[in-house]
Amino acid sequence: MSDFLIVGGGVIGMMTALQLADAGRHVTLLERGECGREASWAGGGIVSPLYPWRYSAPISALSRYSEGAYPELSLRLLEETGIDPEYRQRGLLYLRVDDEPQALAWAREVGKPLERVGAETIYTKEPNVAPGVDSALWMPTLGSIRNPRLCKALRARLLAMPNVTLREHVEVEALDVSDGRLRGVRTSAGREAAERVVVCGGAWAGQLLAGIGVTLPVRPVRGQMILFKASPGLVERVVLKDGRYVIPRGDGRIVAGSTLEEVGFDQRTTEVAKDSLYDSALSIVPALAECPVEHHWAGLRPGSPDGVPSIGAVPGIEGLWVNAGHYRNGLVLAPASTRLLVDQLLQRTPVVDPAPYRLGGV
């Protein structure tokens, strides 16, 4: 029996497994499908909340740590697996920000290099942005990462670690609890004994915990995105306008997203969303009209109140922990939230104060 059993093979689950394995623990990770193929794969990969000044202190604390962790993690995975997660730190242009004074005040308070720039700077940095933009906010330090490649690299690293057992296409159907203690899990492949389980099941985490009478305020929120096949250089930086964005990849492809849809566990794509995303992308970079849409997909975010994840022990059930509810910022917060959880699992000094993330506030 492993030291820890992790339920869910997204970015949160895989990073948890990696950190526990680095610490010498034996880990089993169970994933209902293929690792990294749900929300972790579907996102855009901006390594920051879209409008960071609009978020609460608990999210900001995790975000600051994670932003600093991604360059090192990306280099490590490239060295160990040969898979480049494509971490790029080329900055972000914010077009049409309604609360600009608040954004600039936030930047001064936290020491972020965010500034107001004029048309000359905008079109020097991104010549193909729609004409007529007189001013924007510019954050030069913002980075992005290519989600599918990050997931692929994490999976490859875990498969190569002798103290990690990775089992895909095994769905955890129920948690086995008696006398206030976790005894194991019941899966599509049979029962598995476990004394310490971490639920990292994303949008499905709430359902799993509900089966043992625990309320976890996590719900699925669908997000749809499209991918343009463009030539390298058309867009070099992340550009954000009215909550929609375009994100360049190293090979020239451009991701455009995303929608927010309360439709339960429905992962189907829709033509309405595709058209809306297409129009938003062209309003940012009109030249995308000459580029074919190569792909259109959807994922389910783990929505939660105010976007603050639940991280830590499940009250009243010995041996059960949770790390879920990151909403739009799972990849953004993953290095910090998994480090915080592992610190608690291994009884280390936590990297940030764990109090704001406790399930049920206890």
Side-chain angles (χ1 to χ4, degrees), residues 158-174:
L158 293 176
L159 285 171
M161 301 181 84
N163 53 339
V164 175
T165 300
L166 195 159
R167 297 174 59 197
E168 298 179 317
H169 304 288
V170 176
E171 183 173 0
V172 174
E173 298 171 341

PDB file of all heavy atoms in Angstrom, residues 158-174:
ATOM      1  N   LEU A 158       6.303  11.433 -13.866  1.00  0.00           N
ATOM      2  CA  LEU A 158       5.754  10.523 -12.869  1.00  0.00           C
ATOM      3  C   LEU A 158       5.923   9.062 -13.285  1.00  0.00           C
ATOM      4  O   LEU A 158       6.237   8.209 -12.454  1.00  0.00           O
ATOM      5  CB  LEU A 158       4.275  10.836 -12.638  1.00  0.00           C
ATOM      6  CG  LEU A 158       3.968  12.181 -11.971  1.00  0.00           C
ATOM      7  CD1 LEU A 158       2.460  12.388 -11.891  1.00  0.00           C
ATOM      8  CD2 LEU A 158       4.600  12.283 -10.589  1.00  0.00           C
ATOM      9  N   LEU A 159       5.727   8.784 -14.557  1.00  0.00           N
ATOM     10  CA  LEU A 159       5.887   7.409 -15.037  1.00  0.00           C
ATOM     11  C   LEU A 159       7.312   6.904 -14.859  1.00  0.00           C
ATOM     12  O   LEU A 159       7.541   5.695 -14.722  1.00  0.00           O
ATOM     13  CB  LEU A 159       5.486   7.324 -16.515  1.00  0.00           C
ATOM     14  CG  LEU A 159       3.986   7.372 -16.808  1.00  0.00           C
ATOM     15  CD1 LEU A 159       3.745   7.510 -18.309  1.00  0.00           C
ATOM     16  CD2 LEU A 159       3.292   6.126 -16.273  1.00  0.00           C
ATOM     17  N   ALA A 160       8.275   7.812 -14.857  1.00  0.00           N
ATOM     18  CA  ALA A 160       9.683   7.422 -14.729  1.00  0.00           C
ATOM     19  C   ALA A 160      10.138   7.286 -13.280  1.00  0.00           C
ATOM     20  O   ALA A 160      11.256   6.823 -13.026  1.00  0.00           O
ATOM     21  CB  ALA A 160      10.567   8.446 -15.444  1.00  0.00           C
ATOM     22  N   MET A 161       9.295   7.665 -12.321  1.00  0.00           N
ATOM     23  CA  MET A 161       9.690   7.651 -10.909  1.00  0.00           C
ATOM     24  C   MET A 161       9.304   6.316 -10.278  1.00  0.00           C
ATOM     25  O   MET A 161       8.134   5.920 -10.319  1.00  0.00           O
ATOM     26  CB  MET A 161       9.045   8.821 -10.155  1.00  0.00           C
ATOM     27  CG  MET A 161       9.416  10.176 -10.729  1.00  0.00           C
ATOM     28  SD  MET A 161       8.691  11.583  -9.845  1.00  0.00           S
ATOM     29  CE  MET A 161       9.899  11.768  -8.500  1.00  0.00           C
ATOM     30  N   PRO A 162      10.256   5.596  -9.701  1.00  0.00           N
ATOM     31  CA  PRO A 162       9.965   4.257  -9.179  1.00  0.00           C
ATOM     32  C   PRO A 162       9.003   4.241  -8.003  1.00  0.00           C
ATOM     33  O   PRO A 162       8.374   3.200  -7.745  1.00  0.00           O
ATOM     34  CB  PRO A 162      11.346   3.736  -8.765  1.00  0.00           C
ATOM     35  CG  PRO A 162      12.184   4.955  -8.562  1.00  0.00           C
ATOM     36  CD  PRO A 162      11.670   5.962  -9.534  1.00  0.00           C
ATOM     37  N   ASN A 163       8.864   5.351  -7.291  1.00  0.00           N
ATOM     38  CA  ASN A 163       7.957   5.373  -6.138  1.00  0.00           C
ATOM     39  C   ASN A 163       6.595   5.967  -6.466  1.00  0.00           C
ATOM     40  O   ASN A 163       5.856   6.367  -5.572  1.00  0.00           O
ATOM     41  CB  ASN A 163       8.593   6.119  -4.963  1.00  0.00           C
ATOM     42  CG  ASN A 163       9.103   7.511  -5.322  1.00  0.00           C
ATOM     43  OD1 ASN A 163       9.354   7.799  -6.490  1.00  0.00           O
ATOM     44  ND2 ASN A 163       9.258   8.366  -4.326  1.00  0.00           N
ATOM     45  N   VAL A 164       6.256   6.021  -7.762  1.00  0.00           N
ATOM     46  CA  VAL A 164       4.941   6.484  -8.206  1.00  0.00           C
ATOM     47  C   VAL A 164       4.264   5.400  -9.030  1.00  0.00           C
ATOM     48  O   VAL A 164       4.862   4.858  -9.967  1.00  0.00           O
ATOM     49  CB  VAL A 164       5.046   7.775  -9.038  1.00  0.00           C
ATOM     50  CG1 VAL A 164       3.666   8.165  -9.582  1.00  0.00           C
ATOM     51  CG2 VAL A 164       5.623   8.916  -8.210  1.00  0.00           C
ATOM     52  N   THR A 165       3.030   5.085  -8.678  1.00  0.00           N
ATOM     53  CA  THR A 165       2.192   4.193  -9.486  1.00  0.00           C
ATOM     54  C   THR A 165       1.073   5.027 -10.082  1.00  0.00           C
ATOM     55  O   THR A 165       0.264   5.614  -9.351  1.00  0.00           O
ATOM     56  CB  THR A 165       1.595   3.065  -8.632  1.00  0.00           C
ATOM     57  OG1 THR A 165       2.652   2.303  -8.051  1.00  0.00           O
ATOM     58  CG2 THR A 165       0.715   2.149  -9.479  1.00  0.00           C
ATOM     59  N   LEU A 166       1.032   5.099 -11.399  1.00  0.00           N
ATOM     60  CA  LEU A 166       0.042   5.907 -12.096  1.00  0.00           C
ATOM     61  C   LEU A 166      -0.933   4.968 -12.801  1.00  0.00           C
ATOM     62  O   LEU A 166      -0.542   4.183 -13.661  1.00  0.00           O
ATOM     63  CB  LEU A 166       0.741   6.832 -13.090  1.00  0.00           C
ATOM     64  CG  LEU A 166      -0.061   8.000 -13.679  1.00  0.00           C
ATOM     65  CD1 LEU A 166       0.885   9.066 -14.206  1.00  0.00           C
ATOM     66  CD2 LEU A 166      -0.954   7.535 -14.810  1.00  0.00           C
ATOM     67  N   ARG A 167      -2.205   5.041 -12.420  1.00  0.00           N
ATOM     68  CA  ARG A 167      -3.227   4.162 -12.992  1.00  0.00           C
ATOM     69  C   ARG A 167      -4.319   5.013 -13.632  1.00  0.00           C
ATOM     70  O   ARG A 167      -5.055   5.716 -12.942  1.00  0.00           O
ATOM     71  CB  ARG A 167      -3.801   3.247 -11.914  1.00  0.00           C
ATOM     72  CG  ARG A 167      -2.769   2.295 -11.302  1.00  0.00           C
ATOM     73  CD  ARG A 167      -3.350   1.530 -10.143  1.00  0.00           C
ATOM     74  NE  ARG A 167      -4.513   0.738 -10.550  1.00  0.00           N
ATOM     75  CZ  ARG A 167      -5.385   0.241  -9.681  1.00  0.00           C
ATOM     76  NH1 ARG A 167      -5.267   0.477  -8.394  1.00  0.00           N
ATOM     77  NH2 ARG A 167      -6.410  -0.476 -10.127  1.00  0.00           N
ATOM     78  N   GLU A 168      -4.396   4.927 -14.944  1.00  0.00           N
ATOM     79  CA  GLU A 168      -5.398   5.675 -15.698  1.00  0.00           C
ATOM     80  C   GLU A 168      -6.594   4.788 -16.022  1.00  0.00           C
ATOM     81  O   GLU A 168      -6.532   3.566 -15.917  1.00  0.00           O
ATOM     82  CB  GLU A 168      -4.771   6.234 -16.978  1.00  0.00           C
ATOM     83  CG  GLU A 168      -3.638   7.223 -16.690  1.00  0.00           C
ATOM     84  CD  GLU A 168      -2.984   7.758 -17.954  1.00  0.00           C
ATOM     85  OE1 GLU A 168      -2.730   6.950 -18.876  1.00  0.00           O
ATOM     86  OE2 GLU A 168      -2.736   8.976 -18.008  1.00  0.00           O
ATOM     87  N   HIS A 169      -7.704   5.446 -16.405  1.00  0.00           N
ATOM     88  CA  HIS A 169      -8.961   4.756 -16.717  1.00  0.00           C
ATOM     89  C   HIS A 169      -9.453   3.935 -15.526  1.00  0.00           C
ATOM     90  O   HIS A 169     -10.052   2.865 -15.694  1.00  0.00           O
ATOM     91  CB  HIS A 169      -8.801   3.881 -17.961  1.00  0.00           C
ATOM     92  CG  HIS A 169      -8.330   4.649 -19.162  1.00  0.00           C
ATOM     93  ND1 HIS A 169      -9.126   5.537 -19.839  1.00  0.00           N
ATOM     94  CD2 HIS A 169      -7.105   4.686 -19.775  1.00  0.00           C
ATOM     95  CE1 HIS A 169      -8.434   6.087 -20.831  1.00  0.00           C
ATOM     96  NE2 HIS A 169      -7.213   5.596 -20.804  1.00  0.00           N
ATOM     97  N   VAL A 170      -9.193   4.467 -14.338  1.00  0.00           N
ATOM     98  CA  VAL A 170      -9.704   3.869 -13.099  1.00  0.00           C
ATOM     99  C   VAL A 170     -10.477   4.964 -12.368  1.00  0.00           C
ATOM    100  O   VAL A 170      -9.899   5.929 -11.878  1.00  0.00           O
ATOM    101  CB  VAL A 170      -8.570   3.331 -12.211  1.00  0.00           C
ATOM    102  CG1 VAL A 170      -9.144   2.818 -10.887  1.00  0.00           C
ATOM    103  CG2 VAL A 170      -7.793   2.230 -12.927  1.00  0.00           C
ATOM    104  N   GLU A 171     -11.778   4.832 -12.325  1.00  0.00           N
ATOM    105  CA  GLU A 171     -12.609   5.858 -11.694  1.00  0.00           C
ATOM    106  C   GLU A 171     -12.881   5.513 -10.242  1.00  0.00           C
ATOM    107  O   GLU A 171     -13.286   4.390  -9.920  1.00  0.00           O
ATOM    108  CB  GLU A 171     -13.942   5.995 -12.429  1.00  0.00           C
ATOM    109  CG  GLU A 171     -14.818   7.092 -11.852  1.00  0.00           C
ATOM    110  CD  GLU A 171     -16.071   7.339 -12.676  1.00  0.00           C
ATOM    111  OE1 GLU A 171     -16.262   6.652 -13.705  1.00  0.00           O
ATOM    112  OE2 GLU A 171     -16.844   8.240 -12.293  1.00  0.00           O
ATOM    113  N   VAL A 172     -12.621   6.470  -9.369  1.00  0.00           N
ATOM    114  CA  VAL A 172     -12.967   6.300  -7.961  1.00  0.00           C
ATOM    115  C   VAL A 172     -14.455   6.593  -7.812  1.00  0.00           C
ATOM    116  O   VAL A 172     -14.905   7.712  -8.051  1.00  0.00           O
ATOM    117  CB  VAL A 172     -12.125   7.224  -7.063  1.00  0.00           C
ATOM    118  CG1 VAL A 172     -12.607   7.141  -5.616  1.00  0.00           C
ATOM    119  CG2 VAL A 172     -10.651   6.846  -7.156  1.00  0.00           C
ATOM    120  N   GLU A 173     -15.203   5.577  -7.446  1.00  0.00           N
ATOM    121  CA  GLU A 173     -16.655   5.682  -7.374  1.00  0.00           C
ATOM    122  C   GLU A 173     -17.149   6.082  -5.986  1.00  0.00           C
ATOM    123  O   GLU A 173     -18.221   6.682  -5.855  1.00  0.00           O
ATOM    124  CB  GLU A 173     -17.272   4.347  -7.790  1.00  0.00           C
ATOM    125  CG  GLU A 173     -16.917   3.977  -9.241  1.00  0.00           C
ATOM    126  CD  GLU A 173     -17.326   2.560  -9.597  1.00  0.00           C
ATOM    127  OE1 GLU A 173     -17.535   1.752  -8.656  1.00  0.00           O
ATOM    128  OE2 GLU A 173     -17.414   2.258 -10.798  1.00  0.00           O
ATOM    129  N   ALA A 174     -16.374   5.756  -4.957  1.00  0.00           N
ATOM    130  CA  ALA A 174     -16.792   6.078  -3.593  1.00  0.00           C
ATOM    131  C   ALA A 174     -15.591   6.026  -2.664  1.00  0.00           C
ATOM    132  O   ALA A 174     -14.613   5.325  -2.917  1.00  0.00           O
ATOM    133  CB  ALA A 174     -17.872   5.111  -3.113  1.00  0.00           C
TER     134      ALA A 174
END
